[in-house]
Amino acid sequence: NAGVTQTPKFRILKIGQSMTLQCTQDMNHNYMYWYRQDPGMGLKLIYYSVGAGITDKGEVPNGYNVSRSTTEDFPLRLELAAPSQTSVYFCASSTGLGYEQYFGPGTRLTVT
Amino acid sequence: DQQVKQNSPSLSVQEGRISILNCDYTNSMFDYFLWYKKYPAEGPTFLISISSIKDKNEDGRFTVFLNKSAKHLSLHIVPSQPGDSAVYFCAASEGSGAGSYQLTFGKGTKLSVIP
């Protein structure tokens, strides 16, 4: 079991560029999440999904989009990158609502 | 409005002694609490959890205590080991209903265990 994998590990974007952060889990979890962590702060939920084809906004969704076409994959799309999106992004999955979530290693994104 | 607060950004403890990490919350709807541990350049890993129907949960060297009336929980690590040096996040969720998908995290406490 690889658990939750994320690619890329690091990325530098110019302002206005777009990119997709990839997330895959092999635990057959229905629930998947995207968080961002800014320096010295806790994790904030961007989007979540309760199953293939079903997504919803979290606390900080502006500037991001998601899709969930399969149980395994939950990509996060950044359109028109802004410096405020410089952060570390974590994908997570779980078997149930609000319970133990398993996190990927993160993607460190810098927008300049 | 921070619903989960970890007021100590850092804590240093001698190896073999007890580490106590504290967490306060303001949302009375929270009824499930978790602690995560995070090493640099890695994702958080689940450590231990507690439901609001309990006031203590123990797993090896790790014990979490919950005081519902004070809206306070703490994580005790005994004995502390150098490998415990990491950032510890407290998180909370509402066990059912629309908010139950969401974990609300504190800002974390960096624990350093000195050999």
Side-chain angles (χ1 to χ4, degrees):
Chain A
N1 264 5
V4 179
T5 57
Q6 292 183 238
T7 55
K9 283 187 167 43
F10 305 94
R11 183 73 186 266
I12 299 174
L13 278 183
K14 292 191 187 310
I15 294 170
Q17 287 184 321
S18 301
M19 75 164 293
T20 299
L21 282 67
Q22 301 292 345
C23 175
T24 300
Q25 53 94 7
D26 63 0
M27 297 174 282
N28 204 33
H29 288 167
N30 281 327
Y31 303 92
M32 295 187 75
Y33 316 81
W34 274 106
Y35 292 89
R36 60 177 286 172
Q37 186 191 13
D38 299 328
M41 303 295 287
L43 283 76
K44 291 190 183 295
L45 184 67
I46 305 171
Y47 271 94
Y48 70 100
S49 169
V50 300
I54 307 169
T55 63
D56 207 347
K57 296 176 182 178
E59 186 182 354
V60 290
N62 291 345
Y64 307 95
N65 276 302
V66 293
S67 59
R68 182 100 181 268
S69 56
T70 67
T71 299
E72 295 78 21
D73 300 305
F74 190 39
L76 177 72
R77 178 86 179 157
L78 277 73
E79 305 281 1
L80 298 174
S84 61
Q85 293 177 304
T86 294
S87 190
V88 181
Y89 291 83
F90 292 102
C91 179
S93 70
S94 69
T95 55
L97 292 171
Y99 288 85
E100 297 104 32
Q101 295 180 12
Y102 296 84
F103 284 81
T107 293
R108 183 175 294 275
L109 176 68
T110 302
V111 182
T112 62
Chain B
D1 176 31
Q2 229 186 316
Q3 298 186 68
V4 176
K5 299 178 186 178
Q6 294 177 257
N7 291 320
S8 298
S10 62
L11 174 68
S12 288
V13 171
Q14 209 70 30
E15 181 178 3
R17 306 294 290 267
I18 183 171
S19 295
I20 300 176
L21 294 94
N22 293 304
C23 178
D24 297 295
Y25 62 97
T26 57
N27 185 344
S28 58
M29 298 299 291
F30 287 150
D31 60 1
Y32 192 70
F33 304 89
L34 307 90
W35 285 93
Y36 281 83
K37 176 178 177 179
K38 185 182 179 305
Y39 292 118
E42 294 184 11
T45 55
F46 170 73
L47 196 56
I48 192 169
S49 62
I50 188 167
S51 163
S52 61
I53 62 173
K54 294 186 173 183
D55 54 19
K56 175 182 173 182
N57 190 26
E58 198 170 347
D59 183 2
R61 296 186 297 114
F62 302 92
T63 303
V64 56
F65 295 92
L66 176 62
N67 182 334
K68 289 187 291 292
S69 60
K71 294 193 178 70
H72 176 83
L73 62 154
S74 60
L75 174 68
H76 292 210
I77 306 173
V78 183
S80 301
Q81 300 173 353
D84 296 329
S85 297
V87 177
Y88 289 78
F89 290 99
C90 173
S93 75
E94 300 173 33
S96 62
S100 60
Y101 62 86
Q102 185 164 331
L103 289 181
T104 301
F105 285 84
K107 292 183 178 182
T109 296
K110 183 176 182 180
L111 173 66
S112 300
V113 180
I114 304 159

